[in-house]
Structure formats: C-alpha cells, structure tokens
C-alpha cells in the first residue's frame, strides 16, 4: 500500500464526512429554530387577534345597558376568550417565568377592565369610562406580548 | 384535615355573576355556601380552580374579597384559610387576581361583624 497517497486520502474523506455531518447538524438546528420561531409567531398572532376580539365584544357589552337576550352570550364569549388568551400566553412564555408573570399581570388588568364591577349583573349600566380602559389595556397587552416575544 | 373544594365539580363549571339574582353560579352563593362555613369554623381549605370555563373577575371578587367586605374577616384571615390551586394552563393568573382583590378589599361601611 502506498501510504503517501492513502493517508491523505483517508484524512480527506474523514474531513469531508465531518464537514457533511456538521452541515447536517447546523441545518437541523436552524430548521428546528425556524420551526420554533414560526410556532411562537403563530401563538403571538392568535393572542393579538383574540385580544382584539375580546376588546370588540367587551366595548359592545359596556356600550349599552343590559340586553337580556344578548348579554349571556357576550359574557360567555368574553370570559371564554380571556381564558384562551391566558392559555396561549402561558404556553408561549413558559420558557421564561419573568415574562410569563408580566403577561399574567397584564392579562389580569385587561380582564378586570372587561369583567369587573357589575359584569354579569342585570343591574349594570352602560359605562363609557370602562370602554376606554378596555381599549387601553387591550393595546398595552398586545404591545407587551410583542416586546416579550422578541426576548424569547 | 384540609377540605378540598373543586369549584367546577362541587359548585358549577360556569361561574359568573355576583349576586343570587344574577343567576346560577354567582359569587355570593359560592361564598355563603362553600367559603363562609369553613372560615367561620377556623378551618382551612384547598380551592381547586381547574376545570371551570374561566372566571369573570366579578365572581372572584365577590366570592373571596366579599369575605372581607361583607363578612368582616381580615385579608390575612382569608388568604390563610384558603389555598388556591390552579395547574391548568392560563389559570395561574387567577391566583394573583384573587390575592390582589382580597388584599385591596375593605370592610363595607357599617360592617360590624368581626371574627
């Protein structure tokens, strides 16, 4: 055997193999990272969309005195969607507990602006101030979610 | 022994409203039938929040902060008597909400009951 040819050839083959394996690992890493980012972005979009749906429902609810035929449906839709927003947020931010806690506080603030006071009561009155709070807290919640998403 | 109350199983899966006239699942009835007997006897209870279809903040306020506002207990007594359990995704925030409502509650004017 001619070692002067064989050894460099073996070294070359090994290097090629290592490079190829490295490339595959890097590709796999970026693929996983891209998939994870896509999942984060989808959660963020769902959170934003649902928050503004709640905003629309809640401002509609508090824009008028009780509407017995419609209130129970609106109340159910608001509370159910708030649960969904909180669930998505917990899932999205569970890797970073401090971000998750911030989001819980912001969701509670938004929730309170929508469902506190006489929410669910037939004695409630239309409340323009509350509509303003709902708008502000919806935008603040979405802004915070976007800012925190960038930290994941 | 600590009592365990699962709101969805023992009261309603659809809590909502403050007062009895607001319908089934209201906060006052839950407070009077489930929480008050426990805290009055100086006992403790685990309150399991999981399983319900969400909680309007008005229900949580009436049920828990109502013990301070309407029944004359101190926030410390209420928070020490009840241990809230929320393991379901999205439900951990309700524990923070209840603690906040209870800590910020004041006895209603004219409230004379003291425990």
């Amino acid at each position: 055997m001619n070692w002067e040819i064989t050894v460099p050839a073996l070294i070359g083959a090994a290097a090629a193999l290592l490079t190829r394996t490295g490339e595959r690992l890097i590709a796999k890493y970026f693929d996983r990272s891209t998939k994870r980012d896509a999942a984060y972005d989808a959660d963020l979009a769902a959170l934003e969309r649902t928050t503004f749906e709640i905003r629309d429902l809640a401002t509609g609810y508090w824009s008028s005195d009780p509407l017995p035929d419609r209130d129970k449906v609106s109340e159910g839709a608001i509370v159910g969607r708030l649960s969904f927003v909180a669930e998505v947020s917990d899932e999205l931010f569970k890797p970073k507990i401090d971000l998750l806690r911030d989001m819980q506080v912001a969701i509670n603030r938004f929730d309170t602006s929508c469902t506190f006071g006489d929410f669910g009561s037939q004695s409630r009155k239309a409340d323009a101030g509350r509509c303003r709070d709902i708008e502000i807290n919806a935008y603040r919640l979405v802004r915070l979610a976007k800012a925190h998403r960038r930290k994941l | 022994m600590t009592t365990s109350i699962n709101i969805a199983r023992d009261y309603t899966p659809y809590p909502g409203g403050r007062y009895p006239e607001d319908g089934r699942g209201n906060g006052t009835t839950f407070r009077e039938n489930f929480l008050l007997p426990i805290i009055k006897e100086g006992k403790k209870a685990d309150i399991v929040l999981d399983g319900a279809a969400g909680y309007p903040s008005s229900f949580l306020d009436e049920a828990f902060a109502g013990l301070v506002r309407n029944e004359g207990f101190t926030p410390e007594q209420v928070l020490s008597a009840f241990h809230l359990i929320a393991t379901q995704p999205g439900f951990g925030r309700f524990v923070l909400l209840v603690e906040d409502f209870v800590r910020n509650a004041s006895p209603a004017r004219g409230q004379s009951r003291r425990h």
Side-chain angles (χ1 to χ4, degrees):
Chain A
M1 188 176 282
N2 186 345
W3 291 105
E4 283 180 4
I5 296 171
T6 308
V7 171
L10 284 173
I11 291 171
L17 186 67
L18 276 175
T19 306
R20 184 140 179 76
T21 306
E23 281 172 356
R24 278 187 185 161
L25 284 173
I26 290 167
K28 205 169 177 180
Y29 171 79
F30 279 109
D31 187 42
R32 197 181 302 155
S33 174
T34 305
K35 279 181 185 164
R36 192 187 57 203
D37 277 348
Y40 285 166
D41 289 339
D43 279 349
L44 182 65
L47 189 152
E48 180 176 8
R49 187 178 61 248
T50 313
T51 297
F52 286 126
E53 287 171 3
I54 296 165
R55 183 272 314 263
D56 292 344
L57 287 162
T59 50
Y61 180 84
W62 287 106
S63 295
S64 70
D65 288 347
L67 300 168
D69 293 343
R70 282 178 34 197
D71 276 4
K72 290 297 169 198
V73 175
S74 300
E75 288 159 14
I78 292 165
V79 174
R81 283 171 213 214
L82 278 165
S83 292
F84 176 73
V85 165
E87 192 175 317
V88 170
S89 171
D90 276 12
E91 289 293 329
L92 179 58
F93 294 108
K94 69 182 171 192
K96 294 206 172 180
I97 192 72
D98 53 331
L99 304 185
L100 187 145
R101 289 282 179 218
D102 276 358
M103 286 297 296
Q104 286 181 332
V105 170
I107 292 170
N108 279 349
R109 201 171 291 132
F110 180 49
D111 183 342
T112 304
S113 64
C114 297
T115 72
F116 198 64
D118 287 331
F119 182 85
S121 168
Q122 288 304 303
S123 60
R124 72 178 179 84
K125 298 285 177 205
D127 188 342
R130 187 189 279 264
C131 290
R132 193 185 309 178
D133 283 343
I134 291 166
E135 290 282 356
I136 292 168
N137 288 319
Y139 278 99
R140 281 184 178 155
L141 173 59
V142 169
R143 182 167 176 262
L144 184 71
K146 286 180 174 174
H148 279 2
R149 159 66 186 95
R150 290 191 287 272
K151 297 173 190 166
L152 289 173
Chain B
M1 197 177 80
T2 304
T3 308
S4 179
I5 298 167
N6 182 313
I7 296 179
R9 184 192 64 207
D10 302 329
Y11 183 53
T12 176
Y14 306 107
R18 277 184 184 274
Y19 311 115
E21 57 268 31
D22 298 335
R24 289 169 55 203
N26 68 84
T28 300
T29 304
F30 178 69
R31 184 181 74 233
E32 291 177 347
N33 293 354
F34 288 85
L35 304 181
L36 198 52
I38 287 166
I39 196 169
K40 262 186 174 171
E41 291 181 23
K43 293 180 179 170
K44 293 182 188 295
D46 289 334
I47 308 293
V48 180
L49 301 173
D50 295 345
Y55 293 88
S57 57
S58 56
F59 169 89
L60 294 173
D61 178 66
E62 191 58 42
F64 292 93
L67 290 166
V68 177
R69 232 177 5 247
N70 304 95
E71 310 294 344
F73 293 95
T74 64
E76 292 72 26
Q77 284 174 309
V78 175
L79 294 174
S80 145
F82 301 108
H83 174 230
L84 299 177
I85 296 174
T87 60
Q88 193 174 319
F91 274 40
R93 71 185 185 93
F94 291 130
V95 177
L96 304 177
L97 204 53
V98 169
E99 288 172 357
D100 198 37
F101 290 155
V102 170
R103 285 205 180 93
N104 289 306
S106 311
R109 201 176 295 169
Q111 177 58 252
S112 57
R113 267 186 284 181
R114 283 288 176 272
H115 301 273

